[in-house]
Amino acid sequence: MRRIRYHRYGGPEVLTAEEADTPTPGHGQVLLRTEAIGANFVDTRFRRGAPAGSVFHRPLPGVLTGDVVGTVDAVGPGTAEELLGRRVAALAEDAFAEFVLADAAWLAPVPDGLDLGAASMLPMGAPVALGALRTGRVAPGETVLVHAAAGGIGHLAVQLAKVLGAGTVIATAGSAAKLDFVRELGADVAVDYTAPDWTEQVRAAAPKGVDVVLDSVGGQILQRGFEVLAPLGRVVVYGAADGEPGSVPVMRLFGLHTVTGFSLLAWRAARPELARRDIEESAEHFASGRLRTAVHTRLPLAEAATAHRLLEERSQLGRILLLP
């Protein structure tokens, strides 16, 4: 089979197509024949290399994570044979390949008629958006600020905030095209967070402050987010796209503010039944039309480097899919 890995750190050019044996599923695993792979921004950080101990360190040879849509081709010991032939989606560790191993316990069944873009969001994208919003305890009528709202998870969070009853959704993004994109998805207000006065623009839209901030950027964006929080406002951090997780200014918390982190893997470990329900609910939202995803482009697996360039340019609107 063909797969993509990297054997040195660097730019997208280090991604290498190579031939490898088809893996054999172990206990509790399945082997998926890949139909499509959703690329994730975080892998661009791993690929560039970071010192051991960093949150962005990955040893060589480097593998690429992804949201894989495919058909169960084989099952390992302890795994139900009834899964054979089923079309599913899964978050996988070594995902850029024609055949991929996945944990059978976290397979997301793909409903009939669901397109590849939506299917690729079932194992990770939509559950993270749901989990972050629920961690923020969004209440009906509240104001929600979604950073990086044109990205793979952000554009789902904008829509799901409305589904969960948010009164006003303010979306930030970094270009005019992205601002138009998030408005089309239902954002009430769109703000360019590369503008020096972005916090003033948010304050103008929400004079009493924002109740919930979803932050996947980190760094100075996280720091300045506290400037727009309402009393009892909540910040939910679920990523650090700018490469600097940032620190929480403790003095800001005295304004009756709280900060919480959200990790899908931690949520699965702590509340597995609820985490599985999030996958089911995500599928229901897609099937009903309450939630939709945008696919920016579909690329052959061999063009993984192009996918990473697009991710690093932050020019994409929604999801980038790789097709074996």
Side-chain angles (χ1 to χ4, degrees), residues 234-262:
R234 291 86 69 194
V235 176
V236 182
V237 181
Y238 67 95
D242 75 349
E244 294 293 334
S247 58
V248 176
V250 174
M251 293 299 293
R252 291 285 190 183
L253 304 184
F254 295 148
L256 302 179
H257 300 153
T258 59
V259 183
T260 311
F262 181 82

Side-chain angles (χ1 to χ4, degrees), residues 174-192:
S175 71
K178 289 183 176 183
L179 296 177
D180 289 340
F181 174 65
V182 297
R183 289 188 192 101
E184 291 172 3
L185 293 173
D188 299 291
V189 179
V191 173
D192 185 343

Side-chain angles (χ1 to χ4, degrees), residues 2-305:
R2 177 173 290 187
R3 70 184 182 194
I4 306 294
R5 287 190 173 183
Y6 53 96
H7 297 268
R8 59 187 176 89
Y9 299 118
E13 69 279 358
V14 303
L15 298 181
T16 304
E18 58 188 33
E19 294 296 323
D21 293 335
T22 300
T24 300
H27 190 276
Q29 290 184 319
V30 299
L31 178 69
L32 301 182
R33 181 185 295 271
T34 305
E35 186 178 347
I37 306 136
N40 295 323
F41 178 82
V42 69
D43 285 283
T44 68
R45 297 297 186 198
F46 290 127
R47 189 208 66 234
R48 289 199 169 274
S54 165
V55 68
F56 295 113
H57 175 73
R58 176 167 286 166
L60 295 174
V63 300
L64 301 170
T65 68
D67 304 296
V68 178
V69 182
T71 303
V72 178
D73 197 68
V75 299
T79 305
E81 292 189 1
E82 289 81 2
L83 291 173
L84 287 168
R86 290 192 185 177
R87 189 168 182 249
V88 298
L91 176 62
E93 187 74 14
D94 194 356
F96 280 44
E98 293 174 328
F99 289 89
V100 172
L101 295 177
D103 186 346
W106 292 104
L107 296 177
V110 177
D112 293 339
L114 201 65
D115 63 80
L116 282 177
S120 75
M121 290 297 188
L122 293 179
M124 193 270 286
V128 167
L130 267 177
L133 286 162
R134 288 201 170 116
T135 298
R137 307 187 310 280
V138 175
E142 288 193 321
T143 298
V144 177
L145 172 62
V146 180
H147 285 307
I153 295 173
H155 84 288
L156 300 181
V158 168
Q159 300 170 73
L160 288 169
K162 287 290 190 178
V163 170
L164 295 179
T168 301
V169 176
I170 303 171
T172 73
S175 71
K178 289 183 176 183
L179 296 177
D180 289 340
F181 174 65
V182 297
R183 289 188 192 101
E184 291 172 3
L185 293 173
D188 299 291
V189 179
V191 173
D192 185 343
Y193 64 0
T194 67
D197 67 341
W198 72 264
T199 55
E200 286 82 358
Q201 294 182 51
V202 171
R203 272 290 186 183
K208 295 182 180 179
V210 171
D211 299 295
V212 179
V213 176
L214 298 193
D215 192 297
S216 62
V217 182
Q220 286 300 309
I221 296 297
L222 172 62
Q223 297 281 347
R224 296 194 67 194
F226 289 92
E227 299 174 19
V228 303
L229 273 185
L232 302 176
R234 291 86 69 194
V235 176
V236 182
V237 181
Y238 67 95
D242 75 349
E244 294 293 334
S247 58
V248 176
V250 174
M251 293 299 293
R252 291 285 190 183
L253 304 184
F254 295 148
L256 302 179
H257 300 153
T258 59
V259 183
T260 311
F262 181 82
S263 158
L264 181 63
L265 297 182
W267 181 235
R268 286 178 175 183
R271 297 290 189 272
E273 292 307 315
L274 292 178
R276 290 187 182 92
R277 175 58 192 156
D278 287 347
I279 294 174
E280 296 169 5
E281 183 176 339
S282 298
E284 291 167 4
H285 288 317
F286 277 119
S288 70
R290 291 186 294 270
L291 183 62
R292 60 189 176 95
T293 193
V295 175
H296 181 78
T297 189
R298 295 170 170 84
L299 298 168
L301 180 61
E303 295 184 24

